[in-house]
Amino acid sequence: MSAAGNKAGDPAYSIAIVGGGIVGAALLHELSRYRVRTVLLDKHHDVAEGITKANSGVLHAGFMVPRGSLKARLNVEGIRQYKALARDLGVPVQSCRKLVIAKDDTELPYLRRLLDQGTENRVPGLSLINHRQIRALQPAVTGKYALLSEETAVTLPYQMAIAMAENAVLNGAEVMLNAELTAIGRGASGAYLLHTADGRRVSAKLVINAAGVKADEVMGLLETPAETVYPWRGEYQLLEEASTEVVTMAVYPVPPQSGGGLGVHVTPTVNGGILLGPSAESIADPEDTANTAEVLEALRREAFELVPALAPFQTIKTYSGVRPKLFGSGSPVRFKDFYIRESGSRPGVVNLLGIESPGLTAAPAIARHVIEEFIAPQCELLPNKTWQVRRDPIPRLRHLPQEQQRRLWAQDPAYGDILCHCEQVSRAEVVQAVNNPLGAVSIHAIRKRTHATLGRCQSSFCLGPLSREILRQGYDIGAVARGLPVHPIFEGMETE
Amino acid sequence: MSPNHHHQRQLELLIVGAGAAGLAAAIRAWDHGIRSLLVVDRDPYPGGILRQCIHTGFGLEYYKEDLTGPEYLARLRAEADKRRIEVMLETTVTGLQEGPRATLISHRHGVVRVDAQAVVLATGSYERTRENLRIAGSRPAGVFTAGQAQQLINLFGYRIGKRVVVQGTGDIGLIMTRRLQLEGYEVLAVFERLRFVVGLLRNKVQCLDDFEIEPQFEHQIVEIHGASRVAGVTVAQIKGCEDEARPVAGTERLVACDTVVLSAGLLPNRELLGLAQDEPIDANLHSSLDGVFVAGNALEIHDLADGASAQGEYAADRAVDRVRGIPLQRTVESHRPGQFRSRWSVPARDVVTTGVVCIVCPRGCILTDEDIRCRRGAEFLQQERRDKHRVTTTTTWIHMNGTRVRVAARSKLPQPFAVQKQIVRQIKHGGRAAQQFEFTDVGER
């Protein structure tokens, strides 16, 4: 059957990765270092469309997770690997440091526990400080005591996932977009046959399920899921750029006892503007990323308790992401580790369930872990001798010194054409984003790669010019529309 | 010219923004004898928002004529061109510092540093977005601000949806309510969180009353639904003002639609002032950054472009004094909002309509047989009773010397109201109706 299928033209891969979030992208990137035919399938029009584009963007040092857990090991290994990879791929990481705030003496023991846990996990750069030291570091932050973490940083997770996926593709790996998995069959040769909603099929010897909030559903295509993945929504709001002046460190409260998350925190962003959130709410539909009036109000209230001086700043954007947790709102709150195991009954299928925080930080280490534990024993991994960092990051004109801006402009005058004014994104940047190696064409794909539309006007000035640019690159108005499958911004063009 | 010439320029006066305020300021400064003068604009064509405002109602104060936005712009441009005022297009000011010193970037000249003795910021405004209205729900495609919809439809010729719900009765919301219908969209409802129509009376008459649309007052969209494209909105009754506004429990209802247009007001754009943008602007229209003046919507939101132009001239007068070394009259007074409001500007809320509202000019007289104030009003009343006629405007592509040019079309005479939609369709298809229209370039190619 499989052989017949292959004769019929089903492309055959050694490894298929399901899900193009930060974990799937890290795995694809890591595997592109070897001579092994790998494909990543994502149901969206681009990679990084799930929680990878809707989280705090914080690289955790590793003191929030208990010693001996997979989370602890992969977090502590992951943060170093992430920072090194980001440097290679030209993805911004901003070392911001972090304060976990104890409001009063009753919360102090919690900070001590975190400090001990961090020490056990061999996290460097941790110290307990008092209110005077807090004020000296961050005059706008309230609180009596704080745990200070030197290693904590912020990054742009979606750009990291994009960079890894694009660099992997340039090194020979493959990405299939708009490829929603509907069934997994088995060929005679033992390979798995993956069927997509639009009728495509690929065969693969190994299947890595990194489908995030849908990972239990994907596992369910083959067997009873080992764990249920419970969707927990986290709502965020981004304050206007001027808020950046108020606070430069990530500021966290002592987490709520509900166990839903790390608590509403205040986080600087690489891109400017302070992020408030997230909430933690167990929801029914893993794809329900709506915002609610009550939570948005609560976010401001709770965040302003930590940093009152943020109160006057306007919210320019709200969004939410859905965490894949291994417990629901009804189940008892207890620590749940990452579930990363090969299926007992379906050999060659590795399921990654419950990759929530610190999943972003741990992603590169998760990729190494999966390769060493599950892939290497079943698949010959010869080095890809031509592998290199092939992807040139899109320069961010706005953040470059004038001399460099002049040099870029001398190479390509389109750097002088600003299309998105709030974020000062040039046409040259947009053109590079449109012609990305993944073939992901849409306003959203441009947004994630260049930050166009993310500023104060929220695209009210630049949607037209950006769409026109997509057309000028040889796509029709349908591309703007179909880019996000069934996400049509425009019905079409008026009759000429 | 040395290459350095491109990197650095010394000017007497730099004007940022070539819209209603900026161009008027430039013309005025030139007439005061300023020759070392540069106007920069980020768009490929001057005019700012005037380009997309293809409806009439412009220029009654400034030109004593009822013009469309593009026609008003054409007048301003002709004046500027006559004086050979340098307008640098597709040029963005990326920074403004003490000095004043500005950094410009453009594809033609790259990065250029400009030292000026004075700067007039005429950078217009932002639209308030769904975040400003605190509208919850999902974030599907199909939610547009009114000015954005206006740009996409009028300048780019994109179709943005089919079945539309409008939030807000400010002038742009009213204008777009009419525009959408003339372009063949279905406007399902108009919501307003206040108790009255916010925009001008003349716009209420022509954009709502003409189409028999009754806005639902004290109502707001509170939630948007839909995964990829808007599927509908939840609307609720609203109590309280501005940030205190809250939906009344139990009044929520669902309206199915595929497009949402938000007209929630404008906010001045003074981003270039950085941290000083929230500091007061004094009675000389001078900001807290030495040598930098502000005019037009960047200073305060004007309901007619004429007011923005008048304010541009005022700012130019002060800026010219500064260039000449004439000390500005010292003032601790803040500028007086509304100082440049035109007598033509009649808000709908001030008027209880019992007769026919005259829309010949924005003054909005209420005409009855006993009270007719001018000849044009008398003619209007007669015609209105016989067969409602309206000046019809739209946009279309035309071909000129092999180039596709986007133009605003305006009927030379008022057209029968009942056939406006057909006329608009004809214009787009190059039908015979074109002979009764005048066309003005809006600068898209």
Side-chain angles (χ1 to χ4, degrees), chain A residues 69-81 337-338 340 355 358 361-370:
Chain A
S69 62
L70 206 49
K71 277 186 178 173
R73 176 165 74 79
L74 298 177
N75 182 345
V76 174
E77 286 173 18
I79 188 166
R80 269 154 236 164
Q81 292 173 14
D337 210 349
F338 292 149
I340 303 177
I355 313 297
T361 317
I366 293 174
R368 288 284 349 140
H369 176 75
V370 169

Side-chain angles (χ1 to χ4, degrees), chain A residues 138-155:
Chain A
Q138 297 281 279
V141 176
T142 64
K144 191 154 186 195
Y145 307 98
L147 179 67
L148 168 67
S149 160
E150 299 282 347
E151 266 219 319
T152 308
V154 285
T155 183

Side-chain angles (χ1 to χ4, degrees), chain A residues 23 29 44 60 106 232 326 345 355 391 417:
Chain A
V23 174
H29 185 252
H44 300 98
H60 293 292
T106 62
W232 283 72
L326 295 182
S345 60
I355 313 297
R391 177 185 175 272
D417 251 343

Side-chain angles (χ1 to χ4, degrees), chain B residues 224-238:
Chain B
I224 291 171
H225 309 284
S228 51
R229 179 78 193 190
V230 172
V233 295
T234 299
V235 180
Q237 204 187 329
I238 291 289

Side-chain angles (χ1 to χ4, degrees), chain A residues 215-286:
Chain A
D216 59 341
E217 260 181 52
V218 169
M219 189 171 182
L221 294 175
L222 282 166
E223 59 182 312
T224 310
E227 296 266 3
T228 304
V229 174
Y230 295 91
W232 283 72
R233 183 167 62 199
E235 297 188 35
Y236 285 96
Q237 48 189 309
L238 180 67
L239 302 184
E240 58 189 311
E241 201 171 330
S243 63
T244 306
E245 313 288 329
V246 175
V247 56
T248 59
M249 290 187 182
V251 185
Y252 283 61
V254 163
Q257 294 309 300
S258 66
L262 300 177
V264 173
H265 45 266
V266 167
T267 318
T269 60
V270 169
N271 206 29
I274 296 292
L275 194 59
L276 313 181
S279 56
E281 183 192 354
S282 173
I283 55 167
D285 175 4

